[in-house]
Amino acid sequence: MKYVSMLLAACQCMNLATAHAQDMAPLHVHAPAADTRVILALSPDERAMILEEMRLFLDSVGTMTGALGKQDMQATAAAARGMGMKMVHEVPPELRAKLPMEFRQLGFSVHRDFDQIAMDADSLELPCGLSNPQSAERR
């Protein structure tokens, strides 16, 4: 009898919890944000080039993350430097002319940031008083 009472009490609690959950309406309903994206009029080859650059960014971030995990600042710097401002010169002028100014400004900013990461990794001392083995070899 004791177990039956406990089972009934548990079922009632579950029913109350379910009913309460169904009654709860979202307190904050947000309107969807306006879509301000711009469609770029690119040829299939140009589109492929832009997408490839985006994939390269992701690959470089993955390489940098792995190198940082191993405290390999030289590899971190090399991966970052590969995505720096030198990449800007690989975009054909015809394609660059088709890109909106905001897109180009964002791209330049990201490439500069990768160059800065490379410079920081070259000069960074590791935490906890550890020294960078690669920088020790260069001294």
Side-chain angles (χ1 to χ4, degrees):
M1 183 71 171
K2 183 178 178 181
Y3 296 113
V4 173
S5 296
M6 290 174 56
L7 183 60
L8 286 173
C11 287
Q12 267 187 322
C13 287
M14 289 188 339
N15 285 338
L16 287 173
T18 303
H20 181 67
Q22 290 173 349
D23 287 341
M24 292 186 64
L27 299 177
H28 301 287
V29 178
H30 297 285
D35 187 355
T36 59
R37 295 178 291 178
V38 177
I39 296 174
L40 303 178
L42 302 175
S43 71
D45 287 343
E46 292 167 335
R47 182 177 186 276
M49 183 174 213
I50 294 293
L51 292 175
E52 177 62 23
E53 184 172 342
M54 291 178 183
R55 287 184 196 97
L56 287 172
F57 278 127
L58 292 174
D59 287 344
S60 293
V61 168
T63 300
M64 291 164 46
T65 302
L68 286 169
K70 297 174 188 169
Q71 298 182 346
D72 186 348
M73 295 299 131
Q74 189 175 7
T76 301
R81 195 171 290 108
M83 293 307 298
M85 287 301 287
K86 76 174 196 165
M87 287 286 295
V88 172
H89 304 294
E90 295 180 19
V91 177
E94 307 81 36
L95 173 55
R96 198 175 305 133
K98 290 183 177 182
L99 301 174
M101 181 56 72
E102 296 86 3
F103 190 93
R104 288 182 287 175
Q105 288 172 337
L106 179 62
F108 287 136
S109 173
V110 170
H111 287 294
R112 278 192 300 273
D113 289 346
F114 271 92
D115 279 337
Q116 185 62 53
I117 290 168
M119 289 187 290
D120 290 346
D122 280 335
S123 64
L124 186 65
E125 288 295 320
L126 295 178
C128 303
L130 299 173
S131 63
N132 186 342
Q134 287 79 21
S135 65
E137 291 171 4
R138 287 185 256 157
R139 291 182 196 158

